[in-house]
Structure formats: C-alpha cells, structure tokens
Amino acid sequence: MSARDDVGPADPPAESAADPLAAQEPGRTFPTAGGRLPMPGTADLPEPRPLRKVLGPGVIGAGIGLASGEFVLYPYIASEVGLSFLWAAFVGVTLQLFINMEIERYTLATGETALTGFSRLWRHWGLVFGLLTILANLWPGWATSSATVLTYAVGGGDVTLIALLMLGSIGLVLTLSPVVYTAVERIEFVKVGAVLAFIVIAFVAVVGADDVAETRRVVTDFGSVPSQLGLALVLGALAFAGGGGGQNLVQSNWIRDKGFGMGARIPRLVSPVTGEDQAEPSTGFLFPPTPDNLRRWKGWWRVANTEQMVSFWFLTWLTISATSVIAYATVFGADTPGNDISFLQTEGQVLADTVGSWFGTFFWWIGAVSLYAAALGICDYTARLVADTVKVTYLAGSERWSESRIYSTVVWGLLVVGAVVLLSGFDQPLVLLVISSVVGGFMMFVYSILLIRLNRTALPQAIRVRGYRLVVMVVAMLVFGGISAVIIGNQVLNPGG
C-alpha cells in the first residue's frame, strides 16, 4: 500500500473506546465491536476534487457488470422472450445506484470500507460477506464464458484449456501491477470504450425502428415476469443489472484508492512484489462537523453522486438496453439451444451475414475481451473485500501479513479453486452465472439492512441517510429480501414443488 502525499496530517486512531466527537454531538456513539476495533482518529475532511480527476470507480463498476448482465443475462432474456423484462434492468440499476451511494457515504466520511463499518457493528460481519463473496465467485463463470465466445471468434478450441490460461493471466496481472486499482481502471476503461464502439456500429447496421420501438415495453410491461423465465434467472437479472453482491460493496475500496473524501488519508492497495508494501491496517478517521468540514462534505457528496450517476447508472442502463435491443433484432425467435450462451454464436452469425464476416468476428472478440475483463475485475474485488476485513479485524497487529499480501494470497487461492472447478467438468457458463447471482441477491438484502443502521447511527447527524434515500434503501431491502425468500422457498425448502 502506498501513502498519500496530498493531504495534511491526522491524529492516529485512539486507543480508548471513547468517541472523540461525542462531546460535539451528545448521545452520539461510534461502534467498535465491543471494543475489539480501535476508534478512528480525528482529521479534517480533505478539500473536494473536480469530477474529471476522480472519474473511475463507477466506470470500473459498469465495466465489470458489462458482461454478466449486459452481455449475457439480459441479451439471453431478450433472445428468449423479447424486451418485456427490460423493466427489471431499470429497477435493478436504480436500486443499486442508491445502494452504492450509501456504501460510498460511509467511506467518504471515515475512509473505512463498508465492510469495516459492518465489522464495527458485529466483529464477524466482514468475514461473513467475504465468505459469501467467495462462494458467489468460486465458480469461474465469466472465464468459461469468455473462453466459449473466444472459440466462436477463432473457429474452435478447447474451452477448458483456454479458461485455465485466462485464470493464470489474471493472477499475474493482479499480483504484478504496482498499483492494482490503476491497472484495473485502465483495463475497464478500454473495455467500455470498445463495447460502446460496437453498439454504435451494430445499431446503424442491424437495428431497425421497429426494434427500438419495442423498448416501450419497459413501461407497458412493467412488473410482468414472462412465465418461461425461472425464478433463479429473475433474481440473477435483478442482481446483475449493473453490479450485484460483493461488487457493490467494493465501491468503498475503489473510491478509497481513488482518493475520495477521507479515503485520501488511507494507503492504497499495491502489489507486494512490485509496489511499496506496508503492513498497517486501514482503519479510518472522523471529521468534526464544523462549518468548513460540512462544506467540504457537500462538495464531495455532489462529486460522488455525479460520478456514480454518469459512469455507473447511465453507462449500465445504456449498455443493457442497447445489447438487449441488438439481441432482440438478431436472434429473437431463432432456434438456439436453451440454458447456455450459444445464442451469442447465433447473434454473431447474424451480424456477419448482415454487415460482413469481420463484424461477426469483431462481436465475438468484444464479447471474449469483455467477459475476460469481468473475470479479472471479479477476482480483484473478491480479494479486496476479503483482504480488507481479514487485515483490519483479525490481523491488524501482524507485520508479516499486510493487506497487499493477503490480497495476493486470496487472488491465487480463488484461481486455483476455479481451475479445480473447471477440471471437474462443471463448466456450464449460464448455470455458473445464475448460482453467483442468487448468492449476490441474498447478500444485497442483508447489507442493505446494515447500511441503513450504520449510516443512521455512526455518522454525524448532518450527513446521515434520511428522506427519500432512506425510503429507497428500505425498498431495496424488501425487493432483494422478498425475491431471495421466494428462491429459497422454491429451490431449497421445496425443490420438487
């Protein structure tokens, strides 16, 4: 991890469990997991930076999601039932926008990740979410999807072998990059640009006015669920409309590494091989609610909301809608085998016949690269979440195990397990994606509750979640909780029903 040089000094975390700001706000208490985690230090909030200098975390979120939801699940749904379920993408992306901002609220104010905040409520919450994220992402669904689409582009090949090579390359990128966030950000920026270029060409070449007019079903069919969609796929579509599961939680880590708010006072995650590794835990700071600090807060809150709205919400909704319309225009009604991603092969063939063989191959290459970048991003955020909570909560005093070293260990552990899964023969991409999304949807239900509690009790009164944002968070909790309950009831408690 590398220290920041552009912010002033701050007081170190206090040894006692006393809230250093309680005198300014009587009745205020900051959670410490029963004294097991140290109190944050105190520091002024850094001055807000312009949007152009902090743009990136939302693009990474959109870029990673620009595969599981935008390139696979929603186009697959469009190829099967048309655009009647596209309303779910709008709902899912909008709910996730509000969830992301509550995750960012805590990190902007303290420099700590949301997982550290949860661990302050109960010491083991961070570990629970870390394990659930691992469970969701053990299945190498994105790597197998990328390998499968790559075989379409090159005319054949061994999917398992290609996926294994991809997993190895992901490990090298994530453990040899001097600053991991910078490497991931650059990859996702390139990926988003390539996908947007494909969308523009495809709309001009193959999408007609009637296809675009079908998007009215976002409104006319709002709330309807086509009977041929399974419950697991419905939850997957909602959970993967953008981020989903652990990907939303890692917004904390990304904005902290980018230097948002109090995150500018926290060291960044770097490679233990090529970076300047440090072993200090990433506990944070509290800012006194003075007029100057509240002015700075308003500036950071405005910048963070704009960054998420433009780079996450808009990009995600645009790409989900566009790729779904392209799939509808090309493969809706076509004879494609169910329950896999072979519809992408048919879609590429239609694009090749309509535009030229080069464009079909271009489509498959874009798909393969997009899914590979998603696999890389998913491995990154899973390891980030686990490393953060293990270091801060369990290994804070260890000089040997820095957050960067824990991160690298988790990366390679995930990749080894993924390789074992592939070699075992369980390599059906869509099935793997649905498994991941079901776990992710349940996680979102639980951490929506914790975010409401954390941001209503731990933060200064002036910056707590309230009003319409609180209402939306309650709606998100009910949506993801309700769907998770239905899935569990139908698939676990009554599997034959």
Side-chain angles (χ1 to χ4, degrees):
M1 298 176 17
S2 58
R4 306 302 178 89
D5 300 321
D6 55 348
V7 294
D11 296 332
E15 293 296 330
S16 69
D19 187 336
L21 305 182
Q24 297 173 336
E25 289 192 13
R28 169 199 167 106
T29 59
F30 197 84
T32 60
R36 293 182 177 88
L37 293 180
M39 281 296 302
T42 56
D44 287 328
L45 195 65
E47 287 290 341
R49 299 166 64 191
L51 177 63
R52 68 180 184 278
K53 293 188 177 181
V54 295
L55 190 67
V59 176
I60 295 178
I64 293 175
L66 192 58
S68 52
E70 289 87 328
F71 207 83
V72 178
L73 282 180
Y74 277 98
Y76 172 76
I77 291 171
S79 73
E80 293 291 307
V81 301
L83 303 179
S84 61
F85 195 59
L86 196 56
W87 63 267
F90 179 83
V91 172
V93 174
T94 302
L95 290 178
Q96 288 187 46
L97 170 66
F98 282 87
I99 290 173
N100 285 355
M101 288 316 304
E102 292 313 307
I103 290 168
E104 292 195 10
R105 183 192 299 270
Y106 182 77
T107 301
L108 285 167
T110 67
E112 294 183 346
T113 65
L115 279 190
T116 298
F118 297 161
S119 296
R120 289 184 175 280
L121 299 175
W122 178 55
R123 187 186 183 196
H124 305 299
W125 269 128
L127 183 61
V128 168
F129 285 113
L131 292 175
L132 285 174
T133 303
I134 289 175
L135 176 62
N137 295 329
L138 274 179
W139 324 110
W142 293 264
T144 54
S145 296
S146 177
T148 301
V149 177
L150 183 60
T151 62
Y152 303 156
V154 300
D158 187 323
V159 170
T160 299
L161 177 59
I162 295 172
L164 290 172
L165 293 174
M166 288 179 173
L167 293 180
S169 67
I170 287 171
L172 294 175
V173 170
L174 294 180
T175 53
L176 296 180
S177 299
V179 178
V180 180
Y181 172 86
T182 302
V184 175
E185 182 183 76
R186 288 172 179 170
I187 290 170
E188 300 302 335
F189 262 92
V190 171
K191 167 186 169 177
V192 169
V195 171
L196 291 177
F198 159 75
I199 287 173
V200 170
I201 298 172
F203 256 71
V204 172
V206 302
V207 175
D210 292 341
D211 301 320
V212 175
E214 279 295 299
T215 58
R216 70 181 186 279
R217 300 183 73 174
V218 174
V219 177
T220 60
D221 292 351
F222 190 89
S224 66
V225 179
S227 58
Q228 55 268 60
L229 295 181
L231 287 172
L233 192 58
V234 169
L235 178 59
L238 278 167
F240 277 165
Q247 185 180 327
N248 295 90
L249 288 175
V250 85
Q251 286 292 329
S252 285
N253 305 71
W254 289 334
I255 69 167
R256 188 175 68 175
D257 273 15
K258 192 68 173 178
F260 277 60
M262 205 65 86
R265 299 190 180 278
I266 307 297
R268 295 186 297 181
L269 189 68
V270 302
S271 166
V273 178
T274 59
E276 184 183 347
D277 196 32
Q278 300 177 21
E280 60 187 273
S282 299
T283 49
F285 301 90
L286 298 173
F287 66 84
T290 62
D292 274 348
N293 278 326
L294 292 179
R295 172 188 58 79
R296 297 183 188 110
W297 168 262
K298 291 179 181 178
W300 274 115
W301 188 241
R302 180 170 56 253
V303 168
N305 274 274
T306 303
E307 198 272 343
Q308 275 289 301
M309 178 67 75
V310 172
S311 62
F312 174 77
W313 186 88
F314 178 74
L315 270 180
T316 301
W317 172 238
L318 172 67
T319 52
I320 285 179
S321 302
T323 54
S324 295
V325 171
I326 293 169
Y328 174 78
T330 53
V331 295
F332 177 65
D335 184 18
T336 57
N339 205 33
D340 63 27
I341 63 169
S342 60
F343 74 95
L344 292 176
Q345 184 175 29
T346 303
E347 185 174 355
Q349 290 169 346
V350 172
L351 291 171
D353 293 340
T354 306
V355 182
S357 60
W358 70 270
F359 194 61
T361 302
F362 176 63
F363 167 72
W364 290 322
W365 272 108
I366 289 290
V369 170
S370 294
L371 291 160
Y372 172 83
L376 182 146
I378 289 164
C379 186
D380 167 66
Y381 81 65
T382 302
R384 280 178 184 272
L385 293 178
V386 174
D388 172 55
T389 195
V390 169
K391 178 59 182 176
V392 173
T393 308
Y394 303 102
L395 295 176
S398 172
E399 292 295 325
R400 173 180 174 82
W401 285 101
S402 67
E403 189 172 338
S404 298
R405 290 179 182 176
I406 299 170
Y407 170 88
S408 296
T409 301
V410 176
V411 164
W412 284 104
L414 285 170
L415 298 175
V416 168
V417 173
V420 171
V421 171
L422 286 174
L423 292 173
S424 70
F426 188 43
D427 61 352
Q428 180 53 263
L430 193 62
V431 173
L432 296 172
L433 294 180
V434 171
I435 290 173
S436 298
S437 64
V438 170
V439 177
F442 176 73
M443 288 175 62
M444 294 169 75
F445 161 64
V446 178
Y447 67 61
S448 292
I449 299 173
L450 296 178
L451 282 169
I452 292 172
R453 181 183 173 190
L454 187 66
N455 289 346
R456 288 284 295 172
T457 59
L459 300 183
Q461 186 73 240
I463 67 171
R464 292 177 182 176
V465 58
R466 57 171 57 87
Y468 74 92
R469 291 181 183 270
L470 179 59
V471 172
V472 175
M473 288 299 295
V474 172
V475 171
M477 176 191 71
L478 295 175
V479 167
F480 292 111
I483 296 179
S484 297
V486 171
I487 291 291
I488 293 172
N490 281 269
Q491 302 298 320
V492 178
L493 302 180
N494 186 28

